[in-house]
Amino acid sequence: YYARNKLSLMHGWDREAMTSDAGGGLYYGPIAKVEGAALTLPEALNPGRRDWAGAGVFVFSGKGWSQMRRVVKVEGNTVTVDRPWDVAPDATSLVGITMLQRHYILADNSFSDAGIAIQFYGSSLEHIVSGNTCARAGGYQGIGKAYGGYQLPPDKNPCHQPSWFCQYVGNEITEGAIYRSGANNSILSGDSVIGVFGWPLTRDWPWPYNIGSVVRGNRLDNNARIQIGGNGNDRPAVSDAVVEGNTIANADEAIRLDRAVRDIVVRDNALDKVRDPLTGDGLA
């Protein structure tokens, strides 16, 4: 819980005022069987010196998709989780064991003159971003991505980290114009965003990193937009997002849907002096 703070004049490093950060992972791949709270994998795991109790087991695709359980212990190729699955994964499922960051509440903070106000970088589950204000500070964004293991083939990388079921509610961007902004200070100049992103490692990545995000009741006043997607893949990197009841004024774009999206609801948004209400390769 992080509330009622004021952060400004962030000029060093990546200029990220508030970011989550937890690179690494233990496993990505199929499962052999599930019995109650016990998950058997095809191979023994090597946790090294790290205690993986408290990490997350995420079902990325196949049966049981979009469920998460918390690791209780790891023994050989058996992972015990905190409770049985509502829908048990099976041989069609791909799962990942990685960092678990969940239930963050960031409320009523003020950000100005930063690269990004609030950013979830990698693992983020059921976070709430509410009532914050942002001026010349990049905006608010959740990024599901592979975080670490870049030297490995993507399908052998254990570091896939999702952004699932996060909410961005009742925030403001009062001045959107930015300079030296975005994740890792990568944008030279542009507009602030409320961004729901998935950043896969390959052009044909098979499942979405970002699921179930809600962008509701926010006010974007000058040179700011809502953006869903984050890449131009044919397969979706973001799915099941809701964008509703937002007010966007004095901007070139209101809502941008990138190509790699599916099952997006956009409704009841109020626009004033916006050149293009809906843009992006995902409109089709």
Side-chain angles (χ1 to χ4, degrees), residues 22-155:
L26 179 63
Y27 178 77
Y28 169 69
I31 60 174
K33 65 178 179 178
V34 173
E35 294 180 320
L39 188 73
T40 303
L41 304 177
E43 59 191 49
L45 299 177
N46 180 16
R49 296 182 178 181
R50 180 175 289 175
D51 181 0
W52 285 91
V57 181
F58 298 87
V59 183
F60 290 134
S61 68
K63 188 175 180 182
W65 173 66
S66 75
Q67 293 179 101
M68 188 281 302
R69 293 294 184 267
R70 187 175 59 81
V71 174
V72 175
K73 63 180 178 180
V74 175
E75 293 179 317
N77 67 339
T78 300
V79 179
T80 303
V81 297
D82 56 338
R83 65 188 192 281
W85 304 88
D86 295 330
V87 177
D90 63 14
T92 69
S93 308
L94 284 173
V95 305
I97 302 174
T98 187
M99 309 302 182
L100 175 58
Q101 299 194 37
R102 65 173 171 174
H103 296 169
Y104 292 5
I105 299 175
L106 295 98
D108 303 323
N109 301 286
S110 172
F111 303 90
S112 61
D113 299 295
I116 194 72
I118 294 173
Q119 169 183 275
F120 302 136
Y121 195 81
S123 176
S124 53
L125 182 70
E126 298 171 353
H127 295 348
I128 295 174
V129 178
S130 176
N132 301 280
T133 62
C134 166
R136 304 172 305 279
Y140 320 95
Q141 60 188 18
I143 305 165
K145 66 188 298 290
Y147 192 7
Y150 306 119
Q151 77 281 6
L152 300 171
D155 62 343

